[in-house]
Amino acid sequence: MSSIELKAVEKWFGELQVIKGVDLSIEEGEFIIFVGPSGCGKSTLLRMIAGLEETSRGQIMIGDRDATAEPPSKRGLAMVFQSYALYPHMSVRDNVGFPLKSAGLPKDEIAAKVDEAARVLKLDAYLDRRPKDLSGGQRQRVAIGRSIVRDPTAFLFDEPLSNLDAALRVEMRYEIAKLHQTLKSTMIYVTHDQVEAMTLADRIVVLEFGRIAQVGSPRQLYEKPANLFVAQFIGSPRMNVMPTSAAQNTALPDGAISLGIRPEHISIGDAGTGHLQGTVDVLEYLGADTFVILACGDAGQITARVNGDSDLKPGDKVGLTFQEGDIHAFDANGLAITA
């Protein structure tokens, strides 16, 4: 286990710069997740750490050594890909133990490490099966087991759950969270799914066009976004944003151009009351909650979160009241203004 530090790292493909001077310190045992829209550079950055992409400028430190020019095999990292990449003719036991066999370890040592990985991942009953006899979630656990036996400095995950259906994704999120608690290893994880990021990460790194938009715990990013990009990227449904002129009776700091409010911080009352007037457009019933999508004039489309037993219906005229302590203000550059 080791810390990892990126110092002003850049990646160029010819004239195109895709990673634009990233600085990041990852502590030993920390679970870090890279998120961002497609094309923001999150997978490229992970591959640079792994050594699968050359670093054009800057340094990558693993522990106390400069690993920038080291090949992947020398970095002591284990990577789990979106594709399981299992050998179909081999048993689970042989797939998990293959890296150790390739390294020339004794058979009894390989067997002990494979058995321990199988115990951690609950694969004991499947060791003699072949990949075709496993579910998608079980195959992904085999791929993770193949990494565990190497006792790596850190685990790198590149969208490992994207091939699984919704139910298996939930199951594997739990498995990966428990794995981190058990191994206490450094983990760096790439996903486009913010639910994975919010539920798994110690800290989230939000990337925008090859730069870090913000780094923080899931709660910090949700409650105190540094800018409009993070405010609207983190959270589902995303934060409502409107011109400050669209809302009535709001006390905002000087320089505020935009106002942000999350759906759960809006209450719905009678027309003519509150900070904003709207007409119910669509109701999305989700059981415990209902998302109310409203047309609100200059404020545009606004989403509010209410109890699932709400009796609102399309066409209702309502007033929206914002929780004052949960209003976010942003300046002309999209940066958050803090009191």
Side-chain angles (χ1 to χ4, degrees):
M1 193 165 62
S2 185
S3 61
I4 296 173
E5 186 173 5
L6 311 182
K7 297 182 177 181
V9 298
E10 299 181 14
K11 179 62 182 176
W12 295 75
F13 291 104
E15 298 296 315
L16 177 65
Q17 186 179 15
V18 294
I19 300 296
K20 304 172 182 178
V22 167
D23 292 287
L24 179 66
S25 294
I26 300 169
E27 300 297 326
E28 286 189 24
E30 195 171 20
F31 200 139
I32 290 285
I33 294 189
F34 297 164
V35 296
S38 296
C40 70
K42 54 188 182 292
S43 287
T44 299
L45 191 59
L46 189 76
R47 290 172 65 85
M48 289 167 66
I49 295 170
L52 300 175
E53 292 285 357
E54 182 183 351
T55 300
S56 303
R57 293 176 187 163
Q59 280 185 309
I60 296 176
M61 304 293 294
I62 298 178
D64 57 0
R65 76 180 196 280
D66 185 349
T68 312
E70 288 183 348
S73 60
K74 299 294 185 183
R75 298 194 181 196
L77 306 173
M79 193 154 180
V80 179
F81 296 94
Q82 179 179 336
S83 169
Y84 316 129
L86 302 178
Y87 296 104
H89 63 288
M90 290 185 182
S91 66
V92 168
R93 185 187 304 279
D94 290 340
N95 266 284
V96 173
F98 185 77
L100 304 181
K101 183 179 179 181
S102 299
L105 268 65
K107 287 185 178 181
D108 57 346
E109 186 174 344
I110 293 173
K113 287 180 175 289
V114 169
D115 287 344
E116 176 60 16
R119 183 191 65 78
V120 169
L121 293 167
K122 301 180 179 66
L123 288 170
D124 314 68
Y126 308 104
L127 285 173
D128 295 320
R129 296 190 187 182
R130 294 192 177 182
K132 67 181 179 63
D133 301 318
L134 304 177
S135 69
Q138 289 164 346
R139 292 177 194 174
Q140 190 58 276
R141 277 189 277 162
V142 175
I144 294 170
R146 191 170 49 195
S147 298
I148 289 176
V149 295
R150 295 174 52 198
D151 192 22
T153 297
F155 290 89
L156 311 182
F157 294 89
D158 190 5
E159 303 209 39
L161 309 186
S162 58
N163 286 337
L164 305 180
D165 62 33
L168 276 176
R169 288 174 78 98
V170 173
E171 179 184 326
M172 282 305 300
R173 280 208 313 268
Y174 170 81
E175 298 287 356
I176 290 173
K178 292 297 291 182
L179 182 66
H180 183 246
Q181 292 174 15
T182 301
L183 299 179
K184 297 178 172 56
S185 297
T186 307
M187 293 185 176
I188 308 174
Y189 188 109
V190 164
T191 182
H192 65 277
D193 184 339
Q194 62 167 285
V195 174
E196 288 177 24
M198 295 290 283
T199 54
L200 288 173
D202 294 324
R203 286 191 299 154
I204 298 172
V205 179
V206 183
L207 291 166
E208 180 185 19
F209 300 123
R211 292 188 173 91
I212 292 178
Q214 190 175 355
V215 181
S217 69
R219 174 166 287 187
Q220 287 171 336
L221 267 56
Y222 191 81
E223 295 181 354
K224 296 181 179 179
N227 51 58
L228 272 173
F229 176 77
V230 175
Q232 294 195 284
F233 188 82
I234 297 293
S236 181
R238 68 183 190 170
M239 180 185 288
N240 298 291
V241 174
M242 67 198 77
T244 54
S245 59
Q248 306 166 353
N249 306 317
T250 53
L252 296 171
D254 292 341
I257 300 296
S258 302
L259 174 158
I261 188 78
R262 294 209 179 271
E264 64 270 25
H265 297 146
I266 300 174
S267 58
I268 297 179
D270 295 334
T273 63
H275 298 101
L276 192 64
Q277 305 304 303
T279 302
V280 176
D281 191 9
V282 173
L283 298 168
E284 296 181 342
Y285 175 73
L286 298 175
D289 298 315
T290 294
F291 293 126
V292 185
I293 302 172
L294 306 108
C296 295
D298 292 343
Q301 182 176 286
I302 299 296
T303 300
R305 185 178 201 156
V306 300
N307 287 335
D309 59 2
S310 171
D311 58 2
L312 290 167
K313 58 186 182 299
D316 285 351
K317 306 290 185 181
V318 297
L320 307 182
T321 300
F322 306 153
Q323 293 181 21
E324 292 283 355
D326 295 301
I327 296 174
H328 301 261
F330 302 92
D331 65 17
N333 296 316
L335 299 177
I337 302 174
T338 55

